[in-house]
Amino acid sequence: MTTARESTAGPGPAGERPSRLGAERVTLRYGDRAIATDLSITVPDDSFTVIVGPNACGKSTLLRAFARLLKPAAGRVLLDGERISALPAKELARRLGLLPQSSTAPDGITVADLVARGRYPHQGLLRQWSREDERVVAESMAATDVQALADRFVDELSGGQRQRVWLAMAIAQQTPLLLLDEPTTFLDIAHQIEVLDLCARLHREQGRTLVAVLHDLNQAARYATHLIAMRDGEVVAEGPPGEIVTAELVERVFDLPCQIIADPQTGTPLVIPMAPGHRSGTR
């Protein structure tokens, strides 16, 4: 089984380019409750990294630390070799985008205006709204299929529509790194696949590094180039899905006896849970 590797987010050996994003020996807490202790993770550059694990294992908490929404109690998060806590907010927003698990739009804002807010990090005293901004916003709405909603108010949309609008805003930010916390929340299966296909295209065609938290292990195995499996605030295994997703790993992480077969469409690992009558003696 592939186990967690030491972070190389900081300076590496001579001639080796360090990873752009990583956590070095971080302790993450909510009040007095420790979620993760002495945790080190490196996000491979140019990857579509997906973090999986059972509820309350620390995966979304880790993503919050990567996004500077949660300050580590110990250790450090590095972005481009710098402590993320030291970066000016606008500079951070030009390098790192976030689609949070749940978002609240201002009252009375339209879809087009919300997506346009993704261009804020690129504005300044000498650079105001431009044709380039207009083009990026239009392309971001087209990519997420929300063009027809441009003049609608965000608060009157369905949950799935709102999720696609927030994704359009994150895409419009045009950051080389994009964090997605459960991006398929509120979506039916067809729109889940559309969103994940879109994320895969962003990674493949635009060279963006994506880090996503997903609940569906089969979707994670199909789309990820790098998979991180967590349990109880620790990394149990990480690596290409085809190398690390085994029945033993799934049972260790999720307490789920299963069989692993090849996905007939992609060849990636496909988790088949054991039927109740076949579970005895598997644990």
Side-chain angles (χ1 to χ4, degrees), residues 53-64:
N55 290 338
C57 73
K59 53 188 185 294
S60 288
T61 302
L62 173 63
L63 207 72
R64 286 175 57 82

Side-chain angles (χ1 to χ4, degrees), residues 184-267:
T184 56
T185 299
F186 306 122
L187 302 179
D188 60 38
I189 185 62
H191 284 110
Q192 288 178 30
I193 298 304
E194 284 181 10
V195 165
L196 292 172
D197 282 345
L198 170 60
C199 291
R201 287 202 308 274
L202 289 174
H203 163 249
R204 183 177 63 252
E205 297 175 4
Q206 298 186 14
R208 299 198 198 192
T209 298
L210 273 63
V211 186
V213 168
L214 293 179
H215 273 297
D216 190 309
L217 182 55
N218 285 329
Q219 289 181 351
R222 171 176 278 203
Y223 287 95
T225 63
H226 186 78
L227 193 67
I228 298 174
M230 294 185 65
R231 177 164 180 151
D232 298 329
E234 298 181 353
V235 174
V236 177
E238 64 173 303
E243 294 180 10
I244 71 166
V245 177
T246 64
E248 292 77 16
L249 176 71
V250 175
E251 185 159 9
R252 181 180 176 189
V253 173
F254 294 97
D255 294 322
L256 179 68
C258 69
Q259 179 183 0
I260 306 295
I261 64 173
D263 185 316
Q265 292 291 313
T266 63

Side-chain angles (χ1 to χ4, degrees), residues 15-87:
E16 180 180 317
R17 183 169 66 96
S19 170
R20 297 197 64 179
L21 180 64
E24 289 189 345
R25 306 190 68 175
V26 296
T27 294
L28 305 175
R29 295 179 175 274
Y30 289 122
D32 295 330
R33 184 167 62 95
I35 306 299
T37 302
D38 201 29
L39 178 64
S40 293
I41 286 183
T42 296
V43 174
D45 288 343
D46 307 318
S47 69
F48 187 172
T49 292
V50 177
I51 307 171
V52 297
N55 290 338
C57 73
K59 53 188 185 294
S60 288
T61 302
L62 173 63
L63 207 72
R64 286 175 57 82
F66 279 152
R68 205 170 73 177
L69 298 178
L70 179 66
K71 182 179 179 180
R76 59 184 188 166
V77 174
L78 296 176
L79 178 60
D80 295 327
E82 303 175 73
R83 283 182 179 269
I84 199 170
S85 57
L87 292 171

